[in-house]
Amino acid sequence: MIDLTLWLLTTLVEGFVVYLFLIRGLFRRFLFLNFYLLFSATANIGRYAVLYYFGFTSPEYFHFYYFSEAPLKITLFISVCELSLRLVGDQLPRWRVALWGAGAFLAIALFSLSDASSWGYRVAARFFPELSQHILFACSLGIVLLWVWKLRNDSEDRFAARFVNVLGVYFSLFVLIYGAHRLVPHASGLGNLYPMLDAWLPLGCGFALVSHQ
């Protein structure tokens, strides 16, 4: 019940943060970050509907969850690339930053496909979870690089710099939770931290919007 309540509140906060982007005139400036929040809210509603009708252990919920997770994480990856353009686009050619992002995504997709190919006829079902996980690690590395760059350079886009801090917290917690889960795989309580982690991203972005001077 607590997880479902947090799930619902996260969905509402995501919609409200998009509204904050709109009233501050920043929706198009951070287009893909807003797409991610909107897509996340839509996916949450769809997952709840599938969960309600078919149950948590049903194959319908399993397939809907992972097939919606992959495009969601791809949108998050593009959001990180978008922040990269905002932060370093004035000092590096934008086409070069975009080319690095495209090359990184192609490498992630090929690596995920090679991992999933060992599952035979279930390669498609395995590919999407592998792709989502590898994208998260790639985003974590990208945010670390952006954060280091931000420390060494004074960015003119203060909003982008704040969103990098928000994503830095998000991905740091993801890596810590994932590492703890790998070390203690039978600790069921660790899985309950992921809904809290998902709630942080819209909350952090909302705080960055309303507290910016």
Side-chain angles (χ1 to χ4, degrees):
M1 185 63 183
I2 296 178
D3 288 344
L4 289 176
T5 302
L6 183 59
W7 197 359
L8 175 61
L9 290 176
T10 300
T11 303
L12 293 175
V13 171
E14 286 169 339
F16 180 71
V17 171
V18 172
Y19 169 74
L20 290 178
F21 273 102
L22 283 170
I23 63 176
R24 284 184 169 266
L26 296 172
F27 185 89
R28 295 181 62 184
R29 186 169 162 187
F30 298 98
L31 186 63
F32 286 101
L33 182 57
N34 281 277
F35 280 171
Y36 170 78
L37 293 171
L38 287 173
F39 188 22
S40 179
T42 304
N44 284 338
I45 295 171
R47 288 170 183 175
Y48 180 78
V50 175
L51 176 66
Y52 179 81
Y53 283 105
F54 297 100
F56 182 76
T57 58
S58 65
E60 288 83 2
Y61 179 77
F62 175 82
H63 288 101
F64 185 88
Y65 181 89
Y66 281 108
F67 280 95
S68 62
E69 189 73 3
L72 188 61
K73 292 301 181 284
I74 291 173
T75 309
L76 182 60
F77 178 85
I78 299 174
S79 301
V80 174
C81 295
E82 182 179 54
L83 288 177
S84 302
L85 289 173
R86 289 291 175 188
L87 283 179
V88 306
D90 293 335
Q91 299 191 22
L92 291 175
R94 289 178 175 266
W95 66 266
R96 182 177 296 178
V97 178
L99 186 62
W100 286 347
F105 178 77
L106 180 60
I108 294 167
L110 291 175
F111 184 73
S112 302
L113 184 61
S114 66
D115 280 353
S117 61
S118 61
W119 287 70
Y121 70 95
R122 297 180 60 190
V123 60
R126 185 62 183 176
F127 171 72
F128 290 102
E130 290 286 339
L131 180 64
S132 299
Q133 181 173 294
H134 293 151
I135 284 176
L136 283 175
F137 282 113
C139 288
S140 301
L141 177 59
I143 287 297
V144 168
L145 295 176
L146 284 178
W147 187 75
V148 172
W149 186 93
K150 184 172 66 72
L151 290 179
R152 299 170 61 90
N153 299 271
D154 187 18
S155 174
E156 296 181 359
D157 196 325
R158 300 298 181 183
F159 278 110
R162 286 198 169 206
F163 293 144
V164 167
N165 291 335
V166 172
L167 287 168
V169 174
Y170 175 83
F171 287 115
S172 296
L173 292 175
F174 162 73
V175 172
L176 288 174
I177 295 172
Y178 179 84
H181 189 71
R182 296 286 290 182
L183 291 174
V184 191
H186 300 295
S188 59
L190 292 175
N192 298 328
L193 296 177
Y194 284 108
M196 300 180 186
L197 177 62
D198 291 336
W200 159 251
L201 189 52
L203 285 172
C205 289
F207 180 76
L209 285 169
V210 300
S211 64
H212 182 78
Q213 299 295 329

